[in-house]
Amino acid sequence: MTHRTLLPGRLVAATHNRGKISELKDLFAPLGFEVVSALDLDLEEPEETEGSFVGNALLKARAAAKSTGAPALSDDSGLSVAALGGLPGIYSARWAGEPRDFGAAMAKVERELEDVGATDRSAKFVCALAVVWPDGHEEVFEGEVHGTLVWPPRGDKGFGYDPVFVAEGETITFGEMDPERKHAMSHRARAFDKLKSTLLP
Ligand code: IMP
């Protein structure tokens, strides 16, 4: 497949998640992109009906590119816990219920680990970043960061499951880590690095 250069300009971030919007703006704004989110534009949020991070990322970017006529970027990501067979995985946001309560979602992960008597507390964050152009051209990149789950949650930086995740080689959780440091090692940053070296001029 021939890759296409993504030229700096308006880029629609196809997400309503404020944590992701802020991280995507931090990554793309220094490169000259004007990142406008689906939340800013009041776009409808498509239902995530696919069974994979890549599938859901493409589904969200396609919907945003179609409704705005601009290139759209989406992130589908989540926490995959080894002892839970990869759950919550693509259901990471859904485990937080409606309205989202990540305190409850982290407690659910902990409860499920206790229920299966898990001694293995390894987990990874996974991210698929998709870029879809209004003419239908699509590109997708994946990134992962491996680590361990701790309990109780620690730190109020970051979002989602950050307070229970300690990346390999670290002692503090993503919730305790300065955003710049998290951005240097996160699943999103790793997918972004691939996107950058493939699509950016
Ligand atoms: P979705 O991609 O919108 O389905 O949601 C992914 C969910 O995974 C988010 O709501 C978070 O709970 C979780 N998640 C994804 N990336 C991160 C991260 O960097 N830190 C903590 N939680 C994350």
Side-chain angles (χ1 to χ4, degrees):
M1 183 190 65
T2 315
H3 294 295
R4 181 183 290 184
T5 302
L6 180 64
L7 296 169
R10 191 175 163 93
L11 186 60
V12 178
T15 176
H16 286 65
N17 177 319
R18 289 179 201 277
K20 284 188 192 172
I21 293 168
S22 147
E23 292 197 2
L24 292 173
K25 281 188 177 168
D26 285 351
L27 291 170
F28 280 88
L31 300 168
F33 287 91
E34 185 209 345
V35 178
V36 194
S37 75
L39 187 66
D40 301 329
L41 297 172
D42 207 17
L43 302 182
E44 219 172 284
E45 229 177 337
E47 204 187 325
E48 297 185 9
T49 49
E50 295 290 331
S52 68
F53 291 110
V54 167
N56 283 328
L58 283 168
L59 171 154
K60 290 186 276 190
R62 280 178 197 139
K66 193 169 173 203
S67 57
T68 62
L73 165 76
S74 72
D75 165 313
D76 200 65
S77 48
L79 179 73
S80 169
V81 180
L84 303 182
L87 288 173
I90 58 165
Y91 306 104
S92 294
R94 283 166 268 186
W95 273 32
E98 204 61 71
R100 301 281 187 242
D101 176 351
F102 283 99
M106 290 185 283
K108 179 169 162 65
V109 170
E110 192 57 27
R111 230 177 18 250
E112 304 260 338
L113 282 174
E114 275 168 29
D115 286 353
V116 298
T119 47
D120 175 9
R121 298 186 62 87
S122 61
K124 62 183 178 181
F125 274 125
V126 181
C127 172
L129 285 180
V131 181
V132 174
W133 279 258
D135 68 358
H137 184 81
E138 301 181 340
E139 305 264 3
V140 62
F141 304 91
E142 292 178 89
E144 294 185 353
V145 56
H146 293 249
T148 306
L149 296 177
V150 295
W151 192 259
R154 305 191 322 239
D156 54 10
K157 297 173 186 165
F159 67 100
Y161 298 85
D162 279 341
V164 290
F165 185 82
V166 176
E168 253 169 23
E170 300 292 325
T171 53
I172 59 173
T173 68
F174 271 0
E176 295 171 303
M177 201 176 265
D178 286 331
E180 300 74 48
R181 185 134 162 246
K182 178 184 170 190
H183 290 175
M185 70 178 80
S186 75
H187 48 315
R188 194 162 294 104
R190 288 180 179 161
F192 176 72
D193 283 345
K194 292 183 193 166
L195 181 156
K196 208 161 115 179
S197 57
T198 311
L199 298 189
L200 299 188

